[in-house]
Amino acid sequence: MSSSTFTTDSRSRSSRAQPAITHIRPHSKTRVAYFHNKDVGSFHYGVGTGVYDTKKTGHPMKPHRLTLTNDLVINYGLHELMDVYCPRMATEAELLEFHESDYVNFLKKITPQNRDTEFADVLGNFNFGDDCPVFDGLWDFCRIYTGASLAAAQKLCMKDMEICVNWSGGLHHAKSYEASGFCYVNDIVLAIRQLLKYYARVLYIDIDIHHGDGVQEAFYCTDRVMTVSFHKYEPGFFPGTGDTTEIGSELGKYYSINVPLKNGIDDDSYVNLFKTIMTEVKDRYQPSVVVLQCGADSLGLDRLGAFNLSIKAHGDCVKIIKSWQIPLLVLGGGGYTIHNVARCWAYETSVLLDANLPNEIPRESKYLDFFEPDYKLHPHLVGRVDNQNTKTDLKRLTEVIFEQLRHLDGAPVVQMQELPDGIAEYLQEADEELADTREDQRANKRIKRSKAHDNEFFDGDSDQEQDEEDTMDLD
């Protein structure tokens, strides 16, 4: 069949996404699902009061970056190349599968109004403070981003998709008993626990500039999950963990891989190191499914970061993992220069779809001013920090990690079980309930594509949000 292309949008001069692969058979095309709740970007962590806000610009974690990302995804036309889901919120019971009951109960009840009265004496017990403030809607925020990661994991478990994307997820610092590093609920751990019910071996990869300590801690004593984290490591840099000596314990010994880096690493050094290490990890561990945390604070010029990565290099890491053709869950994470976060995750969405994006930011974007003065998808992000990672340093680091991997005696073997009760039935019921909605959407597909898309999915008359997981099939 001849390939479909996207021509210049009739509403503006900007071009839309164009498939990078032509003449592809429908059955051979990678199936990608995108999970986005339109409310997730409306929350606000509040004013900054700690060391991260010396310029008084508010708390550095800004969920609005998710709205910017989604806006670019839509205006580049990427949503037309994948299945789009508005996921349900996670339930309290689901959070309790990893987090302690006292902590979950605290999250459920704490508000800015009762923080200094009813809960003043226990804030410190759960590590609430400057980094992890109490803000309006905190409980719903946690359930929204976690619900999206769980829904994405369930899609992979049911073999409905090869790749699932949730940019609102990836909050890798939260512990079972406390908040940490802007993270309250560890959606990654909960998603991996879901995947372990269906897959023998889960490989977790973290390219956030901060060490993925919460995920490593959760799976430190098992060989069912291998964690690999590329991050900045030096005294005083949060979270202070992630040395090469942290290799796992008991059954998990040698299954925690850490790649500690210094300031200013550049594109070539990072991508070459990533490809070299991850190829060896894949060959030795033979993962059944991969979870990739794409924290964008490893980009150059990030508000809290100190690397020199371009958006393309960050995306090259995603491209390498995608090329394995192993079921893949892609999540967000850190990222505090929000217009660059949006650029990065929109570009990486296109990478997952094998689509080419023009460098010009779509002029119809509601948030065009965020991308001034160049209005480009790939701005120049290098130059603030010198590269302190010498070739000798990186060679020695690779040797240390390869030596650790040599201790692995083949991939661990796990006797697979039948699907857990309830999950298959739940997904089947959800699909049946939404069958009529999907038929209506397909019938109106041509009409919708001819109209201007609003920034958020399911706005206005087409809003299909419900308590259960909703879906919009745009293929």
Side-chain angles (χ1 to χ4, degrees):
M1 61 177 284
S2 59
S3 64
S4 62
T5 59
F6 292 90
T7 57
T8 302
D9 194 317
S10 61
R11 293 171 290 147
S12 70
R13 295 172 295 173
S14 65
S15 298
R16 309 196 75 188
Q18 187 174 38
I21 299 177
T22 58
H23 304 289
I24 189 168
R25 292 185 178 90
H27 68 268
S28 64
K29 182 178 180 181
T30 301
R31 296 173 299 175
V32 180
Y34 175 84
F35 295 79
H36 178 76
N37 185 308
K38 68 183 181 61
D39 294 328
V40 72
S42 64
F43 296 90
H44 196 283
Y45 273 55
V47 298
T49 58
V51 296
Y52 295 115
D53 193 34
T54 56
K55 296 183 179 180
K56 305 300 180 185
T57 55
H59 194 287
M61 175 61 96
K62 299 183 185 301
H64 184 60
R65 66 202 179 129
L66 302 168
T67 300
L68 297 183
T69 300
N70 190 58
D71 177 74
L72 290 182
V73 166
I74 294 175
N75 285 301
Y76 270 123
L78 294 172
H79 62 298
E80 297 182 357
L81 304 177
M82 56 188 173
D83 288 355
V84 178
Y85 296 87
C86 180
R88 62 176 178 84
M89 290 185 182
T91 65
E92 181 176 351
E94 287 171 329
L95 302 189
L96 288 169
E97 290 184 11
F98 171 63
H99 291 283
E100 294 184 4
S101 58
D102 287 349
Y103 177 55
V104 172
N105 190 53
F106 171 82
L107 284 176
K108 183 179 180 180
K109 294 182 178 180
I110 188 74
T111 68
Q113 291 71 40
N114 62 25
R115 173 187 56 196
D116 298 324
T117 54
E118 184 179 351
F119 293 99
D121 295 336
V122 298
L123 286 173
N125 296 346
F126 300 112
N127 200 31
F128 272 59
D130 291 339
D131 281 6
C132 299
V134 179
F135 57 86
D136 285 326
L138 172 61
W139 174 243
D140 284 346
F141 175 67
C142 293
R143 294 171 62 214
I144 287 173
Y145 75 75
T146 302
S149 292
L150 287 173
Q154 288 168 353
K155 279 293 178 185
L156 289 177
C157 291
M158 300 304 294
K159 309 297 191 296
D160 287 345
M161 297 288 158
E162 281 89 31
I163 299 174
C164 291
V165 185
N166 171 30
W167 294 124
S168 68
L171 277 69
H172 57 174
H173 295 306
K175 310 299 193 299
S176 64
Y177 49 87
E178 67 178 15
S180 179
F182 315 160
C183 306
Y184 300 89
V185 169
N186 200 313
D187 63 291
I188 307 172
V189 172
L190 288 166
I192 290 176
R193 287 173 62 94
Q194 180 66 49
L195 294 170
L196 286 171
K197 299 175 183 177
Y198 300 82
Y199 293 97
R201 294 173 298 280
V202 179
L203 173 60
Y204 172 70
I205 309 166
D206 193 315
I207 59 174
D208 194 291
I209 198 173
H210 299 94
H211 178 230
D213 59 331
V215 184
Q216 175 182 283
E217 178 180 303
F219 301 108
Y220 205 62
C221 297
T222 179
D223 59 3
R224 294 283 309 282
V225 180
M226 173 170 273
T227 61
V228 185
S229 179
F230 294 76
H231 51 268
K232 175 180 172 179
Y233 180 77
E234 68 175 25
F237 189 75
F238 184 86
T241 55
D243 197 3
T244 54
T245 57
E246 300 170 24
I247 61 174
S249 182
E250 301 176 12
L251 288 177
K253 190 173 183 180
Y254 303 120
Y255 290 92
S256 291
I257 305 291
N258 285 294
V259 189
L261 301 167
K262 300 175 183 177
N263 284 347
I265 192 165
D266 58 27
D267 285 359
D268 289 342
S269 298
Y270 192 97
V271 174
N272 289 336
L273 181 70
F274 182 87
K275 184 175 183 179
T276 299
I277 291 175
M278 293 316 307
T279 299
E280 186 72 9
V281 167
K282 175 180 70 73
D283 291 345
R284 288 189 174 269
Y285 189 63
Q286 299 175 31
S288 309
V289 63
V290 178
V291 178
L292 176 60
Q293 196 264 23
C294 297
D297 48 4
S298 48
L299 294 174
L301 305 184
D302 185 80
R303 179 176 171 185
L304 301 185
F307 285 175
N308 280 323
L309 297 187
S310 68
I311 289 171
K312 182 183 182 303
H314 203 274
D316 283 345
C317 296
V318 177
K319 188 177 297 183
I320 289 167
I321 304 305
K322 179 183 180 294
S323 71
W324 295 354
Q325 296 184 328
I326 297 172
L328 175 61
L329 172 58
V330 179
L331 303 171
Y336 308 102
T337 301
I338 64 173
H339 47 279
N340 290 338
V341 176
R343 287 173 163 121
C344 181
W345 290 346
Y347 171 68
E348 289 174 348
T349 304
S350 76
V351 167
L352 297 168
L353 291 165
D354 292 320
N356 291 325
L357 297 185
N359 195 29
E360 194 77 19
I361 296 292
R363 294 292 173 176
E364 60 268 34
S365 168
K366 283 184 177 180
Y367 304 99
L368 189 61
D369 290 346
F370 277 82
F371 306 103
E372 61 181 5
D374 57 345
Y375 304 103
K376 302 295 184 183
L377 183 64
H378 294 278
H380 185 71
L381 301 180
V382 181
R384 188 176 72 180
V385 183
D386 292 334
N387 186 2
Q388 300 175 13
N389 301 270
T390 67
K391 291 183 179 179
T392 301
D393 290 337
L394 298 178
K395 180 180 178 181
R396 186 181 301 114
L397 178 58
T398 303
E399 291 172 349
V400 169
I401 293 168
F402 272 41
E403 181 61 31
Q404 179 180 338
L405 289 171
R406 289 190 188 100
H407 286 86
L408 303 186
D409 186 19
V413 178
V414 177
Q415 182 177 355
M416 299 307 294
Q417 301 175 348
E418 294 183 1
L419 300 184
D421 292 339
I423 296 177
E425 291 81 357
Y426 160 76
L427 292 175
Q428 181 178 355
E429 290 174 3
D431 286 342
E432 290 174 355
E433 290 173 1
L434 293 166
D436 292 339
T437 300
R438 288 198 296 271
E439 286 300 320
D440 291 341
Q441 290 166 344
R442 292 189 186 102
N444 294 322
K445 177 180 175 182
R446 293 179 181 175
I447 298 175
K448 289 180 180 179
R449 285 185 175 178
S450 67
K451 295 180 180 179
H453 293 281
D454 202 355
N455 173 64
E456 303 292 353
F457 291 120
F458 311 105
D459 276 349
D461 294 337
S462 63
D463 195 340
Q464 301 295 331
E465 248 188 311
Q466 300 175 8
D467 290 337
E468 296 298 321
E469 178 182 335
D470 290 359
T471 178
M472 175 183 277
D473 187 347
L474 294 173
D475 283 348

